[in-house]
PDB file of all heavy atoms in Angstrom:
ATOM      1  N   SER A1062     104.148  89.565 102.512  1.00 97.00           N
ATOM      2  CA  SER A1062     104.582  90.352 103.609  1.00 97.00           C
ATOM      3  C   SER A1062     104.718  89.516 104.917  1.00 97.00           C
ATOM      4  O   SER A1062     105.594  89.786 105.731  1.00 97.00           O
ATOM      5  CB  SER A1062     103.525  91.446 103.984  1.00 97.00           C
ATOM      6  OG  SER A1062     103.018  92.056 102.884  1.00 97.00           O
ATOM      7  N   ASP A1063     103.749  88.607 105.137  1.00 96.00           N
ATOM      8  CA  ASP A1063     103.680  87.866 106.413  1.00 96.00           C
ATOM      9  C   ASP A1063     104.973  87.005 106.559  1.00 96.00           C
ATOM     10  O   ASP A1063     105.277  86.585 107.717  1.00 96.00           O
ATOM     11  CB  ASP A1063     102.415  86.987 106.467  1.00 96.00           C
ATOM     12  CG  ASP A1063     102.246  86.190 105.132  1.00 96.00           C
ATOM     13  OD1 ASP A1063     102.132  86.772 104.068  1.00 96.00           O
ATOM     14  OD2 ASP A1063     102.155  84.970 105.245  1.00 96.00           O
ATOM     15  N   LEU A1064     105.711  86.784 105.512  1.00 97.00           N
ATOM     16  CA  LEU A1064     106.927  85.960 105.668  1.00 97.00           C
ATOM     17  C   LEU A1064     108.163  86.753 105.977  1.00 97.00           C
ATOM     18  O   LEU A1064     109.192  86.211 106.330  1.00 97.00           O
ATOM     19  CB  LEU A1064     107.164  85.271 104.298  1.00 97.00           C
ATOM     20  CG  LEU A1064     106.138  84.316 103.835  1.00 97.00           C
ATOM     21  CD1 LEU A1064     106.372  83.790 102.484  1.00 97.00           C
ATOM     22  CD2 LEU A1064     105.840  83.160 104.826  1.00 97.00           C
ATOM     23  N   PHE A1065     107.989  88.069 106.185  1.00 97.00           N
ATOM     24  CA  PHE A1065     109.097  88.950 106.622  1.00 97.00           C
ATOM     25  C   PHE A1065     108.871  89.359 108.005  1.00 97.00           C
ATOM     26  O   PHE A1065     107.988  90.176 108.296  1.00 97.00           O
ATOM     27  CB  PHE A1065     109.304  90.153 105.739  1.00 97.00           C
ATOM     28  CG  PHE A1065     109.833  89.882 104.319  1.00 97.00           C
ATOM     29  CD1 PHE A1065     108.961  89.491 103.273  1.00 97.00           C
ATOM     30  CD2 PHE A1065     111.161  89.884 104.093  1.00 97.00           C
ATOM     31  CE1 PHE A1065     109.407  89.222 102.043  1.00 97.00           C
ATOM     32  CE2 PHE A1065     111.680  89.559 102.826  1.00 97.00           C
ATOM     33  CZ  PHE A1065     110.810  89.251 101.788  1.00 97.00           C
ATOM     34  N   GLY A1066     109.594  88.799 108.897  1.00 96.00           N
ATOM     35  CA  GLY A1066     109.437  89.121 110.405  1.00 96.00           C
ATOM     36  C   GLY A1066     110.007  90.610 110.664  1.00 96.00           C
ATOM     37  O   GLY A1066     110.655  91.190 109.833  1.00 96.00           O
ATOM     38  N   GLU A1067     109.724  91.079 111.841  1.00 95.00           N
ATOM     39  CA  GLU A1067     110.096  92.386 112.259  1.00 95.00           C
ATOM     40  C   GLU A1067     111.574  92.572 112.263  1.00 95.00           C
ATOM     41  O   GLU A1067     112.182  93.656 112.246  1.00 95.00           O
ATOM     42  CB  GLU A1067     109.566  92.739 113.649  1.00 95.00           C
ATOM     43  CG  GLU A1067     108.107  93.005 113.583  1.00 95.00           C
ATOM     44  CD  GLU A1067     107.457  93.204 114.994  1.00 95.00           C
ATOM     45  OE1 GLU A1067     108.231  93.410 115.873  1.00 95.00           O
ATOM     46  OE2 GLU A1067     106.223  93.240 115.022  1.00 95.00           O
ATOM     47  N   GLU A1068     112.425  91.461 112.417  1.00 95.00           N
ATOM     48  CA  GLU A1068     113.876  91.614 112.452  1.00 95.00           C
ATOM     49  C   GLU A1068     114.474  91.785 111.094  1.00 95.00           C
ATOM     50  O   GLU A1068     115.676  92.072 110.989  1.00 95.00           O
ATOM     51  CB  GLU A1068     114.409  90.263 113.074  1.00 95.00           C
ATOM     52  CG  GLU A1068     114.451  89.038 112.230  1.00 95.00           C
ATOM     53  CD  GLU A1068     113.161  88.463 111.872  1.00 95.00           C
ATOM     54  OE1 GLU A1068     112.107  88.929 112.381  1.00 95.00           O
ATOM     55  OE2 GLU A1068     113.119  87.479 110.981  1.00 95.00           O
ATOM     56  N   THR A1069     113.710  91.618 109.971  1.00 97.00           N
ATOM     57  CA  THR A1069     114.343  91.653 108.677  1.00 97.00           C
ATOM     58  C   THR A1069     114.631  93.111 108.257  1.00 97.00           C
ATOM     59  O   THR A1069     114.039  93.999 108.610  1.00 97.00           O
ATOM     60  CB  THR A1069     113.352  91.061 107.553  1.00 97.00           C
ATOM     61  OG1 THR A1069     112.151  91.775 107.612  1.00 97.00           O
ATOM     62  CG2 THR A1069     113.115  89.591 107.830  1.00 97.00           C
ATOM     63  N   SER A1070     115.716  93.149 107.503  1.00 98.00           N
ATOM     64  CA  SER A1070     116.123  94.593 106.965  1.00 98.00           C
ATOM     65  C   SER A1070     114.997  95.137 106.157  1.00 98.00           C
ATOM     66  O   SER A1070     114.756  96.275 106.179  1.00 98.00           O
ATOM     67  CB  SER A1070     117.374  94.497 106.115  1.00 98.00           C
ATOM     68  OG  SER A1070     118.458  93.976 106.899  1.00 98.00           O
ATOM     69  N   ALA A1071     114.318  94.262 105.341  1.00 98.00           N
ATOM     70  CA  ALA A1071     113.312  94.748 104.492  1.00 98.00           C
ATOM     71  C   ALA A1071     112.116  95.396 105.186  1.00 98.00           C
ATOM     72  O   ALA A1071     111.768  96.471 104.894  1.00 98.00           O
ATOM     73  CB  ALA A1071     112.792  93.638 103.579  1.00 98.00           C
ATOM     74  N   ARG A1072     111.742  94.736 106.238  1.00 97.00           N
ATOM     75  CA  ARG A1072     110.593  95.200 107.063  1.00 97.00           C
ATOM     76  C   ARG A1072     111.026  96.521 107.861  1.00 97.00           C
ATOM     77  O   ARG A1072     110.238  97.397 107.905  1.00 97.00           O
ATOM     78  CB  ARG A1072     110.051  94.166 107.981  1.00 97.00           C
ATOM     79  CG  ARG A1072     108.927  94.681 108.862  1.00 97.00           C
ATOM     80  CD  ARG A1072     108.009  93.558 109.404  1.00 97.00           C
ATOM     81  NE  ARG A1072     107.338  92.831 108.339  1.00 97.00           N
ATOM     82  CZ  ARG A1072     106.229  93.360 107.766  1.00 97.00           C
ATOM     83  NH1 ARG A1072     105.647  94.398 108.146  1.00 97.00           N
ATOM     84  NH2 ARG A1072     105.683  92.621 106.791  1.00 97.00           N
ATOM     85  N   ARG A1073     112.163  96.412 108.404  1.00 97.00           N
ATOM     86  CA  ARG A1073     112.640  97.638 109.192  1.00 97.00           C
ATOM     87  C   ARG A1073     112.715  98.817 108.290  1.00 97.00           C
ATOM     88  O   ARG A1073     112.402  99.893 108.622  1.00 97.00           O
ATOM     89  CB  ARG A1073     113.924  97.380 109.988  1.00 97.00           C
ATOM     90  CG  ARG A1073     113.645  96.374 111.159  1.00 97.00           C
ATOM     91  CD  ARG A1073     114.881  96.131 112.035  1.00 97.00           C
ATOM     92  NE  ARG A1073     115.929  95.479 111.283  1.00 97.00           N
ATOM     93  CZ  ARG A1073     117.032  96.001 110.927  1.00 97.00           C
ATOM     94  NH1 ARG A1073     117.280  97.285 111.243  1.00 97.00           N
ATOM     95  NH2 ARG A1073     117.947  95.306 110.234  1.00 97.00           N
ATOM     96  N   LEU A1074     113.240  98.634 107.132  1.00 98.00           N
ATOM     97  CA  LEU A1074     113.377  99.784 106.107  1.00 98.00           C
ATOM     98  C   LEU A1074     112.015 100.249 105.752  1.00 98.00           C
ATOM     99  O   LEU A1074     111.764 101.441 105.706  1.00 98.00           O
ATOM    100  CB  LEU A1074     114.159  99.305 104.918  1.00 98.00           C
ATOM    101  CG  LEU A1074     114.515 100.368 103.928  1.00 98.00           C
ATOM    102  CD1 LEU A1074     115.527 101.358 104.524  1.00 98.00           C
ATOM    103  CD2 LEU A1074     115.117  99.749 102.708  1.00 98.00           C
ATOM    104  N   TYR A1075     111.111  99.378 105.501  1.00 97.00           N
ATOM    105  CA  TYR A1075     109.723  99.761 105.166  1.00 97.00           C
ATOM    106  C   TYR A1075     109.078 100.588 106.207  1.00 97.00           C
ATOM    107  O   TYR A1075     108.338 101.586 105.885  1.00 97.00           O
ATOM    108  CB  TYR A1075     108.874  98.468 104.966  1.00 97.00           C
ATOM    109  CG  TYR A1075     107.475  98.695 104.508  1.00 97.00           C
ATOM    110  CD1 TYR A1075     107.132  99.530 103.429  1.00 97.00           C
ATOM    111  CD2 TYR A1075     106.445  97.993 105.105  1.00 97.00           C
ATOM    112  CE1 TYR A1075     105.841  99.632 103.007  1.00 97.00           C
ATOM    113  CE2 TYR A1075     105.083  98.128 104.737  1.00 97.00           C
ATOM    114  CZ  TYR A1075     104.797  98.945 103.670  1.00 97.00           C
ATOM    115  OH  TYR A1075     103.542  99.117 103.223  1.00 97.00           O
ATOM    116  N   TYR A1076     109.320 100.349 107.480  1.00 97.00           N
ATOM    117  CA  TYR A1076     108.698 101.107 108.577  1.00 97.00           C
ATOM    118  C   TYR A1076     109.574 102.269 108.963  1.00 97.00           C
ATOM    119  O   TYR A1076     109.275 102.919 110.054  1.00 97.00           O
ATOM    120  CB  TYR A1076     108.404 100.181 109.733  1.00 97.00           C
ATOM    121  CG  TYR A1076     107.070  99.369 109.583  1.00 97.00           C
ATOM    122  CD1 TYR A1076     107.156  98.043 108.966  1.00 97.00           C
ATOM    123  CD2 TYR A1076     105.855  99.873 109.840  1.00 97.00           C
ATOM    124  CE1 TYR A1076     106.058  97.310 108.717  1.00 97.00           C
ATOM    125  CE2 TYR A1076     104.743  99.201 109.555  1.00 97.00           C
ATOM    126  CZ  TYR A1076     104.856  97.846 109.061  1.00 97.00           C
ATOM    127  OH  TYR A1076     103.643  97.190 108.781  1.00 97.00           O
TER     128      TYR A1076
END
Side-chain angles (χ1 to χ4, degrees):
S1062 319
D1063 50 301
L1064 300 175
F1065 288 89
E1067 284 176 13
E1068 77 291 354
T1069 57
S1070 295
R1072 178 159 295 278
R1073 286 186 296 109
L1074 188 65
Y1075 182 49
Y1076 283 94

